[in-house]
Structures are given as structure tokens and as C-alpha cells.
Amino acid sequence: MLPEPDPALCRDLAADLRDAGFTAEAVRGAWGGAADDAIARGLRSPAARALGDRRDPLAVLGRLLVLGMPEAEASVDAALPRTGAAGLAALGLVAVSQGRAVPTALVRPQSYADADGTGQWWIASDLDEAALGGPLPEDHVLGVGGASLTLASLQLPTPARRGLDIGAGCGIQALRARRSVESVTATDISPRALAFTRLNALLNGVDGVETRLGSLFEPVAGERYDRVVSNPPFVITPRVDGVPVYEYRDGGREGDDVVAEFVRGVGAHLEPGGVAQLLGNWETRAGQDGLDRVRSWVESSPVPLDAWVVEREALDPLSYAELWVRDGGTLAGSTGFARLVDAWLDDFTARQVTKVGFGYILLRRPATGTPTLRRFERLHQALAGDSLGGHLADALAVHDRLSVLDDAGVAASVFVVAPDVTEARHHVPGQEDPTVIELRQGGGFGRALAVDPGLAALVGACDGDLPAGVLIDAIAELLGADAAALRADLLPRVRELAFTGFLRPA
């Protein structure tokens, strides 16, 4: 267990790290992009080789805190003059013995960018597989990975009063939430994870984060929040002997039940207008499509909810099993690897699972009335940007604005083309008219839409001057089409283009 972090020591360590220039960009520059990318794949030797025998503070801290390699106590004292090796030991980050500081945790710099600007965090977490030299312990507290960065980028940047982070882990989501939420309650089943959350909040000078021990909604029974975020332990794990149960990724339920339980239960903990965002897996099981199963969870919530669910990828059972067996540090090709994969495949076969989807779930308790948003979609293309929170917030605002308008109201509205939208026209050689007209989005989800000439003409004419209905009537005259029929065709598509960010209400 980590000791309770001393606030003064955390302030000293932050000052030392700042003075050493211990940033994500500086560390990457010290050993190069290829070596930095290799660290994410569990290879630390390229970075260590690039540093060689450098003894400057950045090199010492890179080896000690990023790679998890022992350093001479004197070198650590010189690199961290306020904190020293003894201060790191008091924080539970190293063990000092015979003149050497041996890492017991990692502290990695993490840059971020959101609507309010850019900055740096230092995130402490447990040693990874490379530093341990083998599989992870079951109570491992994960650092900042791809999934946690994704969820951080998805968080709405709009202001809110009370936030809740369920399954806080190292605390990265709580730190991100505090950028726009006045206070955050962070919960986890792991006391060690909550200790890391408190340490990271202090290390980064973030106040207003309270920690509570417990599973899912148990620690906040009877309480409601304006914003809920969760990177829950959603990984589907066989419930059989011999399969490691990692706290950071396994919620102790069968299949995708932990995500289903969250979806059904979160509404009672949302204030009217409150939003919950989470990552999750869902199974295509016994012929029922995974997104349809998520839809059934939403519909069975005792509290009616708006829902926007995006599936980003889908894996077959074998690929899914291999992914998560490797994630635990078991080497491919070993006897143990094959045994664990078989356990996953047996579990999937028993429940007739043919595919596992991964994606994002956004749920909202309507401020008044009944839900008006039910959207379940697959977007497997590469994302156009790395910060989706603003895009999601804009989409919700547009939905709320247009959902109270009938078609006449939409026709009377003025729109402008979003600045990131481009148009591509594909022609067969020798033909004047295009065979395909495509609108492409440079931000958001990077959508690409094939459109007909009428819709392309409308989008091209949306410059914030004339209402959509006037433009459609003019286009109908140019095309020799019936204006009423063209309105009936185009106005629902205008709603869709506005929601997805191709058009913006002027």
C-alpha cells in the first residue's frame, strides 16, 4: 500500500520535476520517437540505449521514473534537490538501499490539450511489465494508456458543478474532469488505486478531488451528479480458475455485465440534464447484435435516458482473447498463453459470442420531458482529431436546439458550413457530371458522406445568409424539381448534417 502522500513533499517533487524540464516532449526528445513508441509496446532498452551514460537530471529521471530502472542515490539527489531519493521513498515511489534508488512505481509526464489550452501532468502508477520483467500482479494500478487518453478526450468541456469518476485507477479522469467540473468524487474498489489518485492530485496541484472506496455506485448511494465519467473494468474475462483477475480491467461479472449494470444504474445518479460518459465492451451473443444489446440496456433503465453509443471497433473471439492475454504480460507462444486463450474461447463458446465491440457510451438524463436522442452507430474509421469532447458538446447543443423545431422551423433556420468540411467529386474520364460527390469532415469523428447533387448544392450555399428553406426552393428551381418534395427529402438530412458537425446553426 502506498503511504498517504505528504502535500509538502508533493509540492517539492512537482517543483523539482518542473525545474528538470521533465515533460512528455522533453523525454521523447531525449531518446527519440522510435524508442518512445517502443515503450508503449513494453520495450525499454531502446530508450535506455539512447540515453547511454548521461547523468543530467532529465536522463536520470527518465531512467528512474519512466523506464523503472534503478539509479544511484546521489544521482537522484542531484536531479531532485528539494525531494531527493529519501523524499521519493517517503512517497512510496522508490526503495533506497545501499546507495541505490530502486523504483517501486512510475511517474510519467503526460501532456494534454482541451478547449481551455494545453498543459502537463505527472501521473504516478505501478511498474509496468517491462520494469517488472514479467506478468502484472492482479492489484496492478495502470498508468495512462490508450483507453484512458481516449476517454479523457471525450469528456465534455462544458462547466458543471459535481462530478463522479467511477473506477478512478490512477486518477487521470478525475484530473481531466476537474478542468471543467467544480468538484469530483473518485471511487474505486482498490485502496491502492485511490492512493495513487490522491498522490496525483497533489502532485499536479489539483484540489477538489475526494476519494471513496467501493464498487460502482455503492460509495455514492442516494447521491446525484451533473457529470459522471468511467473507464470501468469492462474487459470480458472467463470466470474460471487459473485466469488472472486484474482489478484494473475485470469487474468480476460475467461477459459484458459490468457495462450493462452501469448503463442501467447510472440514471439514478444523474441530475436532470446530467451526462455520463464511459468506455465499454459489448458482445454479439446468440445472434443478437452488440449495439442492439446496448440499446436494450438503455431501454431497461428505470430512469429514461438520452443515449449516443458509438462502436469504434469489433474483434472476433480469438483476436479479443489474444489481446487481453498479452495485456497481462503473458508472452505469445508460451504454454501459459495458449492455455489462457483457450479459457477465453471456451467462455465465448459457452455463451454463443461471435464478436465483441468496443466503443463510447454517452447517456443523459433529460432536463425535462422524455428522451429525444437515441443514436447507435458504428464508426470504425480513423478519428480526425484527438479531442472529441467539444464535438460531442456541440452535437448535443445542436440536437437540443433542433429537436424542438418542426420541419418548418428547420427551414426557417440559417446554417453555415463548418470550416473543417471539404468536398470531393469523382468523375469518370470524359463525363462532365460527377459519379460520386463526397463531403469529408476534418474534425470530430472524421465522417465521409456520399451526397446527391441537391444536398451538395444546399451545403455549398449555406454561408450564413439565407434560411435553409429559401435555399432549397432555389435549388429545386435550378434542378427542375418539386420544391415540396425536395424540402421533404433534404430537411431531415440537414438535421443530420447539423448534428454531426458538417453544418452549424448560424
Side-chain angles (χ1 to χ4, degrees):
M1 181 66 183
L2 285 178
E4 192 61 29
D6 178 86
L9 262 180
C10 289
R11 287 193 295 270
D12 285 346
L13 178 55
D16 281 338
L17 295 176
R18 192 176 300 111
D19 288 349
F22 190 58
T23 67
E25 292 76 16
V27 169
R28 184 177 177 89
W31 48 51
D36 200 58
D37 294 340
I39 294 171
R41 302 193 300 273
L43 298 172
R44 61 179 183 171
S45 60
R49 291 166 65 90
L51 292 178
D53 59 358
R54 284 175 50 181
R55 310 309 305 171
D56 56 284
L58 186 62
V60 170
L61 296 177
R63 283 189 292 263
L64 181 74
L65 300 179
V66 178
L67 302 181
M69 302 173 68
E71 283 287 318
E73 182 178 1
S75 296
V76 177
D77 289 342
L80 302 171
R82 300 174 184 83
T83 313
L88 290 182
L91 291 171
L93 301 176
V94 302
V96 179
S97 176
Q98 299 181 337
R100 288 171 64 79
V102 179
T104 55
L106 302 174
V107 182
R108 288 174 167 169
Q110 179 64 56
S111 58
Y112 64 84
D114 60 21
D116 295 323
T118 61
Q120 291 274 339
W121 285 317
W122 298 292
I123 305 297
S125 63
D126 273 326
L127 298 174
D128 59 15
E129 300 101 312
L132 290 171
L136 302 173
E138 294 187 5
D139 64 349
H140 177 79
V141 177
L142 194 66
V144 179
S148 53
L149 287 176
T150 294
L151 184 58
S153 76
L154 288 168
Q155 287 197 44
L156 302 185
T158 48
R161 191 172 63 88
R162 297 188 72 210
L164 172 64
D165 176 12
I166 293 180
C170 67
I172 181 66
Q173 304 307 328
L175 295 184
R176 174 59 186 84
R178 272 291 288 122
R179 298 271 294 165
S180 53
V181 181
E182 293 177 14
S183 66
V184 175
T185 300
T187 73
D188 205 290
I189 62 170
S190 166
R192 183 171 178 81
L194 295 179
F196 272 116
T197 294
R198 293 192 294 273
L199 170 62
N200 287 326
L202 288 170
L203 184 58
N204 291 285
V206 178
D207 61 4
V209 176
E210 173 198 6
T211 60
R212 298 186 195 176
L213 184 67
S215 176
L216 286 178
F217 303 108
E218 292 171 1
V220 295
E223 297 183 52
R224 297 199 300 196
Y225 296 84
D226 306 294
R227 196 70 48 77
V228 178
V229 63
S230 182
N231 184 6
F234 58 76
V235 176
I236 298 165
T237 306
R239 310 252 71 83
V240 296
D241 293 338
V243 175
V245 179
Y246 295 108
E247 289 180 348
Y248 75 88
R249 72 182 201 188
D250 177 38
R253 275 70 164 177
E254 182 180 88
D256 50 19
D257 285 354
V258 69
V259 180
E261 187 175 340
F262 186 102
V263 171
R264 294 186 183 113
V266 73
H269 297 279
L270 289 173
E271 294 283 4
V275 172
Q277 295 176 271
L278 69 150
L279 305 181
N281 278 159
W282 39 83
E283 299 175 334
T284 291
R285 183 192 298 179
Q288 185 183 22
D289 184 84
L291 283 180
D292 288 339
R293 297 186 70 244
V294 181
R295 187 191 303 271
S296 72
W297 303 340
V298 174
E299 291 173 349
S300 63
S301 168
V303 177
L305 297 171
D306 286 320
W308 184 5
V309 181
V310 176
E311 183 180 276
R312 292 291 298 137
E313 64 177 329
L315 296 177
D316 61 83
L318 177 58
S319 298
Y320 189 89
E322 290 184 275
L323 170 67
W324 292 111
V325 173
R326 283 195 304 269
D327 179 78
T330 302
L331 295 177
S334 66
T335 302
F337 187 90
R339 178 183 59 79
L340 289 172
V341 168
D342 282 340
W344 252 272
L345 295 180
D346 289 344
D347 177 59
F348 284 137
T349 299
R351 288 181 292 105
Q352 302 180 61
V353 175
T354 57
K355 186 169 61 175
V356 181
F358 165 81
Y360 323 143
I361 300 176
L362 185 152
L363 305 168
R364 182 175 63 171
R365 184 171 184 168
T368 58
T370 59
T372 57
L373 177 61
R374 288 290 171 85
R375 189 179 182 95
F376 301 82
E377 57 184 329
R378 289 186 167 90
L379 297 172
H380 291 186
Q381 75 273 12
L383 295 179
D386 58 1
S387 181
L388 283 168
H391 174 72
L392 299 182
D394 290 344
L396 291 178
V398 168
H399 169 79
D400 293 341
R401 179 172 176 175
L402 298 185
S403 65
V404 299
L405 299 179
D406 58 13
D407 281 355
V410 176
S413 301
V414 178
F415 297 90
V416 61
V417 182
D420 64 314
V421 172
T422 57
E423 180 186 274
R425 295 184 176 234
H426 304 271
H427 295 257
V428 172
Q431 293 188 6
E432 182 178 353
D433 294 331
T435 55
V436 177
I437 305 174
E438 188 177 57
L439 298 179
R440 295 174 180 171
Q441 188 177 51
F445 284 108
R447 299 174 192 262
L449 301 175
V451 298
D452 55 53
L455 186 57
L458 175 59
V459 172
C462 285
D463 57 5
D465 186 17
L466 296 174
V470 173
L471 295 175
I472 293 172
D473 291 345
I475 293 167
E477 185 174 350
L478 287 172
L479 297 178
D482 179 76
L486 194 60
R487 281 192 177 216
D489 174 45
L490 294 185
L491 288 175
R493 297 158 76 185
V494 168
R495 291 180 186 269
E496 173 69 7
L497 288 176
F499 179 85
T500 53
F502 286 85
L503 296 177
R504 296 179 179 177

